[in-house]
Amino acid sequence: MIRFALLLTLGLFAAVAARAEVNIQDVTTPSGIKAWLVEDHSIPFTALEIRFRGGTSLDAPGKRGGIYLMTALLEEGAGDLDARAFARTREELAASYGYSVGDDDLSVSARFLTENRDQAVELLRKSINEPRFDQDAVDRVRGQVLSGLASDAKDPDDIASEAFAAQIFGDHPYGTPGKGTIDSVSALTRDDMVAAHDAVFARDRVYVGAVGDITPEDLGRIVDELLADLPETGAPMPGPADLHVEGGTTVIPFDTPQSTALFGQPGMQRDDPDFFAAMLAMHILGGSGESRLMQEVRVKRGLTYGVYGYLAPKDLAAIVVGRVASANDRIAEAIDVIRDEWARIAEDGVTEDELQDAKTYLTGAYPLRFKGNGRIAGILVGMQMEGLPIDYAATRNDKVNAVTLDDVNRVAAELFRPEDLHFVVVGEPVGIDPDTN
């Protein structure tokens, strides 16, 4: 295990040195599955990222939380191995597997040494293709999920997130928690786990990225071993979300000395030609410690420890979302300042100095994302899912630098609409009506 940890550290160092200057190869496996690869034979280690589009949005009606619970069970026994035997075998191989799921995708992240590659891949194949969903594991992991849901119900941030999602996305799957509810998770059965697995794990929605000590030929063979036997298609994807956004404020009473507020409005999809201009405008408004929101809300007025906003281009809807927290007797002022800044950037735009500072930050920070083989493998998959070209990593900063001041100000005027900005406040805010629309 110590050796594995050392190799992971070396892999991280090598990847940082490489920065964003990665040579990405387009690989097609013998069965026709696409994958992107960055070869690095400096250390005997490979990071593999597999992602299935759909995520918790594919939950069947009445089975909310099913895909979340199923994902948590993938490492709890597979094939002829129960949970303990699976964990013991993984440790003996010094391999690492991670499984996570969000609204739009389910991710499988694997790390393994070259000397154990075939055995590690076979164990991973079992977890993807032959999860056991033993009843004792289902009950145990379900208990963990229910405990988490009970904790979320007492957390102002989680309460605000759930209420905001319900308000803006309505009946769409985005409008309810992917973890499910106490009632829905309590009612899930082992058969529901099998159905959830069948909904997600299919070849028509899979994306693969790999970085490390592996050739295109070996990657093709491994990917086919892992994925070629999956069904060709999974559950139908949900349609786009119909956004229900009206400007105003919703208050959810909660006994706490500090109010938490989430705010948002409709946003912009990643494939929009103006996305880079929107990204720069958003960064200037609420993207870093030097942003307008931080300067106006925190530095000048001391209303909060932190405030931010960002573009959230989800697969089935695009929004702009942000967060702020302040004392109950000051949250109303914080909200007023945020609305004012929303209106100011829409009406007056940004300055040339602000734009140049934003470009310097965003182009300088981008290569730092490539810090580790696992991170790079994840970036490769993300690029594929967003439909970006294979040379995007090398050309992205040029695209950012090509944005003009006129571009940013035109897009800011179109994007930021203070009249559509809605706040969900959880706490005991002073000076805010419970429902202000």
Side-chain angles (χ1 to χ4, degrees):
M1 185 61 71
I2 292 176
R3 182 184 180 192
F4 183 55
L6 176 60
L7 288 170
L8 284 175
T9 302
L10 291 173
L12 174 65
F13 177 81
V16 168
R19 303 294 182 180
E21 298 171 1
V22 293
N23 178 26
I24 305 173
Q25 301 178 65
D26 193 351
V27 176
T28 301
T29 75
S31 74
I33 299 173
K34 298 285 188 180
W36 283 7
L37 166 65
V38 174
E39 285 189 71
D40 177 5
H41 299 286
S42 59
I43 55 172
F45 160 75
T46 297
L48 178 66
E49 183 78 11
I50 302 169
R51 205 167 295 174
F52 296 85
R53 191 185 295 277
T56 60
S57 295
L58 296 176
D59 271 335
K63 304 296 181 183
R64 199 60 172 141
I67 290 173
Y68 183 86
L69 180 58
M70 180 275 294
T71 304
L73 287 163
L74 291 173
E75 214 173 6
E76 298 292 335
D80 57 344
L81 304 173
D82 63 15
R84 288 188 176 183
F86 187 94
R88 183 170 58 250
T89 304
R90 184 197 58 224
E91 290 175 2
E92 290 172 352
L93 293 171
S96 170
Y97 309 134
Y99 308 85
S100 62
V101 67
D103 286 344
D104 292 328
D105 57 63
L106 186 153
S107 297
V108 179
S109 307
R111 316 281 186 267
F112 42 78
L113 301 171
T114 302
E115 65 188 66
N116 295 331
R117 185 165 65 199
D118 288 346
Q119 301 97 311
V121 167
E122 171 56 18
L123 188 62
L124 181 62
R125 186 198 66 77
K126 288 181 178 178
S127 78
I128 293 174
N129 291 268
E130 304 172 19
R132 290 164 61 104
F133 302 132
D134 291 334
Q135 191 61 51
D136 61 338
V138 173
D139 293 340
R140 174 167 43 81
V141 176
R142 186 211 314 272
Q144 296 167 357
V145 173
L146 292 174
S147 178
L149 290 172
S151 178
D152 292 348
K154 302 175 183 177
D155 186 306
D157 281 299
D158 288 308
I159 295 170
S161 295
E162 186 173 336
F164 183 80
Q167 179 151 354
I168 197 168
F169 296 122
D171 293 335
H172 192 273
Y174 287 168
T176 53
K179 293 180 182 179
T181 65
I182 297 290
D183 289 342
S184 68
V185 174
S186 298
L188 292 171
T189 67
R190 183 186 181 280
D191 287 345
D192 293 329
M193 298 299 95
V194 174
H197 180 273
D198 292 345
V200 177
F201 286 92
R203 291 182 49 170
D204 65 334
R205 60 200 58 193
V206 68
Y207 300 83
V208 181
V211 179
D213 183 30
I214 190 168
T215 65
E217 292 75 20
D218 284 341
L219 178 61
R221 173 180 58 79
I222 284 173
V223 170
D224 274 354
E225 289 178 12
L226 292 170
L227 306 175
D229 290 337
L230 292 176
E232 189 61 35
T233 60
M237 296 287 181
D242 184 16
L243 297 182
H244 307 274
V245 183
E246 294 182 356
T249 306
T250 299
V251 175
I252 299 175
F254 190 80
D255 185 13
T256 175
Q258 176 174 275
S259 291
T260 296
L262 291 187
F263 51 94
Q265 60 146 89
M268 178 180 291
Q269 282 294 4
R270 182 64 183 79
D271 60 356
D272 192 295
D274 286 325
F275 186 82
F276 284 112
M279 182 178 70
L280 285 159
M282 191 71 244
H283 179 79
I284 293 168
L285 177 61
S288 73
E290 299 300 319
S291 73
R292 289 184 178 185
L293 292 184
M294 280 292 284
Q295 292 299 311
E296 296 296 330
V297 181
R298 175 179 173 171
V299 177
K300 293 183 179 179
R301 297 172 176 83
L303 297 172
T304 184
Y305 288 111
V307 55
Y308 58 85
Y310 58 92
L311 303 176
K314 301 163 74 71
D315 279 0
L316 304 171
I319 59 173
V320 181
V321 65
R323 177 191 180 277
V324 66
S326 187
N328 285 331
D329 62 350
R330 305 200 72 185
I331 188 70
E333 182 181 358
I335 289 174
D336 286 343
V337 174
I338 292 169
R339 287 194 190 281
D340 289 344
E341 289 306 310
W342 221 262
R344 183 163 76 95
I345 195 170
E347 294 170 2
D348 301 334
V350 306
T351 68
E352 184 65 45
D353 286 345
E354 286 178 317
L355 177 58
Q356 291 308 315
D357 288 346
K359 287 182 177 179
T360 299
Y361 178 86
L362 292 174
T363 57
Y366 183 65
L368 300 181
R369 298 182 188 178
F370 293 72
K371 56 179 183 180
N373 289 357
R375 289 284 300 274
I376 298 174
I379 291 172
L380 299 184
V381 171
M383 288 167 55
Q384 293 174 74
M385 295 189 74
E386 292 178 352
L388 299 173
I390 200 167
D391 66 346
Y392 176 79
T395 62
R396 180 264 193 189
N397 279 356
D398 292 338
K399 293 181 171 65
V400 173
N401 284 323
V403 176
T404 68
L405 184 62
D406 287 344
D407 292 333
V408 173
N409 289 338
R410 172 180 53 80
V411 171
E414 297 170 355
L415 176 64
F416 297 110
R417 301 195 291 270
E419 68 276 13
D420 290 338
L421 193 58
H422 194 96
F423 289 77
V424 172
V425 183
V426 177
E428 299 291 344
V430 177
I432 300 176
D433 294 333
D435 289 295
T436 307
N437 292 312

